[in-house]
Amino acid sequence: MTVTHPTMTETEALIVPDARAARHRHRRYLYRDGKIAYWLLLPAVVLLAIFVIWPAIYAAYLSFHDWSFYKAPEFVGWRNYANVLTDPLFWAAIGRGFVFVAMTVPPMLLLAFGFSSLVVAVSRHFASTLKVSIYLPTIISTVITSIIFVVIYDYSGGLLNAFLGLFGIDPVAWLGDPKWALLAIAIPAIWLGMGLTSLIMVAAMIDIPTEYYEAAAMEGANWWQKTFFITIPQMKNIILYLLVTGFVAAIQQLDLPLVMTQGGPLDSTTLPNLFIFNHFTNDVNVGYSIAAALLLFVVLGTVSALIFRFVNSERLVD
Amino acid sequence: MAVVAQEVAAIRRRPQRTTSWWLYAIGKTIVGVVFIVASLFPLLWLVIAGFKSKTEVISTPFQFFPEVWKWENYAQILGDPTFLLTMGWTFLGAVLFTALALTVNSLAAYAFARLDFRFKRTLWTVVITTMFIPGMTILLTSFIVVTDLGMLDSLAVLVIPGAATAAMIFFIRQFYLSIPSSLEEAAMLDGCGRLRIFFFLFLPLSKPPFVVMGITAFLAYWNSYVWPILTITSPERFVVQQFLATFRTGRGSSELGLLMAGSVLAAAPEIILFLIFQRQIIGNIKMAGLK
């Protein structure tokens, strides 16, 4: 029934050369689905408004207040932010976050690159087996992962120490030693994150035109040359994308240290999110925790918004 | 002539099976097997440990396989009424969450993809912006909101707050944008309204994004831990991850075999779901990964 509208509007506009009325009609045509559209959007928008947008505004409001569950908010200006920024523990957590990123993201990208080079080189059947098995860990929860790795890392009866013992290496308290604990959490993080990273890389690698490799082979290029002069330059964008999303994901890691070590020993696994989470649950001064969360995530939110723009523009070109 | 050309092509296509070709092939297979083993080993370890007795999971001297395969672990954990109840509630919650999320988000996605309405761009910008608000920033204020709404310690607090997500709206919208508008125009000429078009044209076509998004939502619910530990306090309403974590800190050290068996059972629905839909999930990874 709405289909008849355009023709009607056009003819009427021709007959009555009233520009204003025409524009009005045009508008009506343009927004012809208004009513039904709002009904369709209502549930999603209401849920987002109540559970995302309002909490975000409220968080911004509370970050300028001294408040706890027991008393009325009192405006304190930038004091919470100043407290966070002058807190050495906050900076230590951020620094630890960067160390954790360095431990997880580069190895994960290298492994994923090796994996996808392998996938494109083997038969289709083997390739799909590879893809399924690399993706399987991704669906396992961090709690179950933590349980598995805590048992593997056990000091006196764990698999890892028993294995190293075969080579005459003394047992290490992987999760009990501040020197090793962060690395011990990085391994399961890589295990969980490999699936998605690898498969995105495989998809990108398959997209590279085979003509490039054929031409290079004619010139006598070997595998290394093909990798460095064709594969990596062609995948520059996707590697950059994975690097940044890997960074954002790793620095926000919360569940693994929360379940495996609760941030210990000696705070050696208190990553930024866990630092904030511990403040939420222990500290009566809520403003501080919220200010810390906002500070950290204004930055990360900006980073993800930039990635999104980048990805979205690429997809539009596709 | 053509036959000769075909033969030449066939010869060209056939790889030269020299020694180096074989070495290369064997090398690739070995590296592939190493990847598969490294990737599946922790899961295999979980399954093996699920069959061990109390003291065997962590024992000196170390033993890879259990002395006796203890199927009783499974019987015992399944005999625990709290565990069964927890699994049941978590499953129900995950199904409800998935259904709600798909409904709410696909309706919005359809409106954003196909309908013309005032403030469309503004609303779209607002919705997309919510994608960049990290969970941690709003964790506490969301907690305050659900407390004020009286939702604490109920199934609703797990199912409702996370149902609408910009990422899912974005993903489904992207799919709807790719459906040719001529289909829709034909339906409109036949006198279909917008709602009929959505239910009888778009919904039947939505299987690919619904499978991917549905599984993502199901797994997100099944694996969630931090939000439940904040909002669910009664042990009989715990979600399965909460149950496992509490079991570990409570009884875990003395009942590790049981904990491992429970973890296997808790991971099983996810693994089964994944194995059924792996083709669609892996096929869609490029799109889903970019959310």
Side-chain angles (χ1 to χ4, degrees):
Chain A
M1 85 220 171
T2 33
V3 202
T4 47
H5 257 144
T7 31
M8 265 173 62
T9 326
E10 274 162 27
T11 36
E12 273 175 38
L14 283 175
I15 296 162
V16 190
D18 184 353
R20 198 187 236 174
R23 208 179 306 127
H24 182 72
R25 296 241 166 70
H26 180 64
R27 272 233 146 127
R28 242 179 55 196
Y29 167 63
L30 192 67
Y31 301 125
R32 66 195 182 282
D33 307 314
K35 227 181 230 165
I36 185 81
Y38 293 134
W39 280 111
L40 293 177
L41 287 172
L42 190 71
V45 170
V46 166
L47 285 177
L48 283 175
I50 297 177
F51 296 110
V52 182
I53 298 170
W54 168 245
I57 296 168
Y58 196 28
Y61 167 83
L62 283 184
S63 71
F64 291 104
H65 289 77
D66 186 14
W67 178 81
S68 69
F69 279 95
Y70 313 105
K71 62 175 193 188
E74 181 197 331
F75 184 77
V76 293
W78 294 94
R79 201 181 74 195
N80 286 324
Y81 289 94
N83 285 346
V84 173
L85 290 173
T86 51
D87 186 347
L89 292 176
F90 175 75
W91 290 107
I94 300 274
R96 216 171 286 125
F98 278 101
V99 173
F100 188 70
V101 167
M103 281 174 172
T104 49
V105 179
M108 195 153 82
L109 287 186
L110 281 176
L111 280 171
F113 190 83
F115 179 82
S116 42
S117 311
L118 184 72
V119 166
V120 295
V122 299
S123 70
R124 261 179 65 189
H125 189 71
F126 193 37
S128 60
T129 314
L130 279 172
K131 285 195 261 181
V132 170
S133 54
I134 202 92
Y135 198 72
L136 201 56
T138 307
I139 62 170
I140 303 298
S141 77
T142 31
V143 173
I144 296 179
T145 308
S146 306
I147 292 173
I148 301 174
F149 278 86
V150 164
V151 167
I152 290 179
Y153 288 142
D154 191 81
Y155 177 73
S156 60
L159 174 75
L160 185 59
N161 280 337
F163 177 73
L164 293 176
L166 296 178
F167 303 96
I169 298 171
D170 286 333
V172 175
W174 296 103
L175 292 171
D177 187 339
K179 263 208 319 269
W180 294 105
L182 198 59
L183 184 68
I185 285 179
I187 307 284
I190 293 174
W191 185 66
L192 285 170
M194 269 295 282
L196 198 57
T197 315
S198 301
L199 293 187
I200 291 176
M201 239 188 220
V202 168
M205 209 176 262
I206 287 171
D207 277 351
I208 302 173
T210 47
E211 288 83 9
Y212 294 179
Y213 293 103
E214 281 160 14
M218 296 257 249
E219 311 252 325
N222 63 27
W223 187 84
W224 290 106
Q225 286 167 326
K226 285 183 199 164
T227 301
F228 280 106
F229 297 116
I230 302 173
T231 317
I232 293 178
Q234 284 291 316
M235 287 174 58
K236 205 178 68 206
N237 279 347
I238 211 77
I239 291 174
L240 190 71
Y241 167 78
L242 288 173
L243 203 65
V244 182
T245 45
F247 168 79
V248 173
I251 210 158
Q252 294 194 73
Q253 180 60 257
L254 168 66
D255 293 27
L256 280 176
L258 178 64
V259 185
M260 288 176 81
T261 57
Q262 294 85 44
L266 294 174
D267 272 353
S268 61
T269 54
T270 306
L271 294 173
N273 257 350
L274 185 57
F275 175 80
I276 296 164
F277 185 80
N278 284 341
H279 261 278
F280 276 157
T281 43
N282 302 327
D283 193 350
V284 272
N285 179 12
V286 172
Y288 175 95
S289 328
I290 292 184
L294 277 172
L295 272 177
L296 186 56
F297 296 122
V298 161
V299 179
L300 293 182
T302 317
V303 172
S304 7
L306 289 175
I307 307 171
F308 179 79
R309 278 192 73 123
F310 160 78
V311 169
N312 206 21
S313 61
E314 278 224 328
R315 292 168 59 93
L316 289 178
V317 174
D318 270 357
Chain B
M1 197 57 199
V3 179
V4 175
Q6 264 175 19
E7 271 175 29
V8 169
I11 291 165
R12 264 215 205 125
R13 228 177 285 129
R14 195 182 302 147
Q16 289 172 300
R17 315 235 150 160
T18 55
T19 322
S20 69
W21 183 90
W22 279 108
L23 281 178
Y24 183 51
I26 293 168
K28 278 192 296 195
T29 315
I30 292 175
V31 178
V33 171
V34 167
F35 263 112
I36 292 175
V37 170
S39 183
L40 298 185
F41 184 78
L43 287 176
L44 178 75
W45 187 241
L46 174 68
V47 174
I48 291 178
F51 285 107
K52 291 184 168 183
S53 70
K54 281 180 200 175
T55 51
E56 263 180 334
V57 178
I58 295 171
S59 68
T60 9
F62 179 78
Q63 267 188 311
F64 195 86
F65 289 109
E67 197 107 308
V68 212
W69 292 78
K70 290 196 41 137
W71 290 93
E72 304 93 280
N73 282 347
Y74 286 92
Q76 209 180 328
I77 193 79
L78 283 173
D80 187 334
T82 356
F83 180 72
L84 271 189
L85 194 72
T86 303
M87 287 280 276
W89 276 114
T90 315
F91 192 82
L92 180 72
V95 170
L96 289 177
F97 177 75
T98 309
L100 182 67
L102 285 177
T103 314
V104 165
N105 292 321
S106 65
L107 289 175
Y110 174 68
F112 279 127
R114 291 304 196 174
L115 302 186
D116 259 328
F117 53 92
R118 208 178 281 250
F119 309 122
K120 183 171 169 175
R121 290 188 135 252
T122 321
L123 262 176
W124 180 238
T125 313
V126 171
V127 167
I128 284 299
T129 308
T130 62
M131 208 148 110
F132 307 118
I133 302 172
M136 206 56 188
T137 319
I138 56 166
L139 188 66
L140 190 83
T141 39
S142 304
F143 176 75
I144 297 171
V145 167
V146 295
T147 312
D148 291 344
L149 291 174
M151 290 165 85
L152 280 190
D153 211 19
S154 68
L155 197 59
V157 80
L158 300 176
V159 171
I160 296 171
T165 50
M168 198 155 163
I169 297 175
F170 180 78
F171 183 85
I172 300 177
R173 171 181 169 267
Q174 211 69 13
F175 179 81
Y176 286 165
L177 284 175
S178 72
I179 295 177
S181 52
S182 49
L183 266 178
E184 209 174 359
E185 280 155 18
M188 294 216 301
L189 284 175
D190 287 343
C192 277
R194 287 294 183 182
L195 273 183
R196 277 176 74 108
I197 291 178
F198 177 74
F199 282 108
F200 295 107
L201 194 65
F202 276 68
L203 267 195
L205 290 171
S206 302
K207 208 187 143 204
F210 271 38
V211 166
V212 177
M213 285 293 105
I215 287 172
T216 311
F218 188 93
L219 293 182
Y221 186 95
W222 191 269
N223 287 339
S224 64
Y225 175 63
V226 170
W227 182 246
I229 60 171
L230 278 181
T231 54
I232 302 292
T233 44
S234 321
E236 70 272 13
R237 297 201 184 93
F238 274 8
V239 294
V240 69
Q241 308 300 336
Q242 232 177 330
F243 176 88
L244 293 173
T246 332
F247 192 101
R248 185 190 137 220
T249 46
R251 288 188 282 166
S253 46
S254 56
E255 295 281 10
L256 265 183
L258 220 54
L259 174 64
M260 300 308 254
S263 303
V264 172
L265 291 174
E270 303 181 298
I271 294 177
I272 293 168
L273 199 66
F274 171 68
L275 292 179
I276 296 173
F277 292 108
Q278 43 107 349
R279 203 176 291 266
Q280 287 92 321
I281 299 171
I282 287 177
N284 267 304
I285 235 54
K286 200 181 170 195
M287 264 158 67
L290 298 182
K291 71 176 184 203

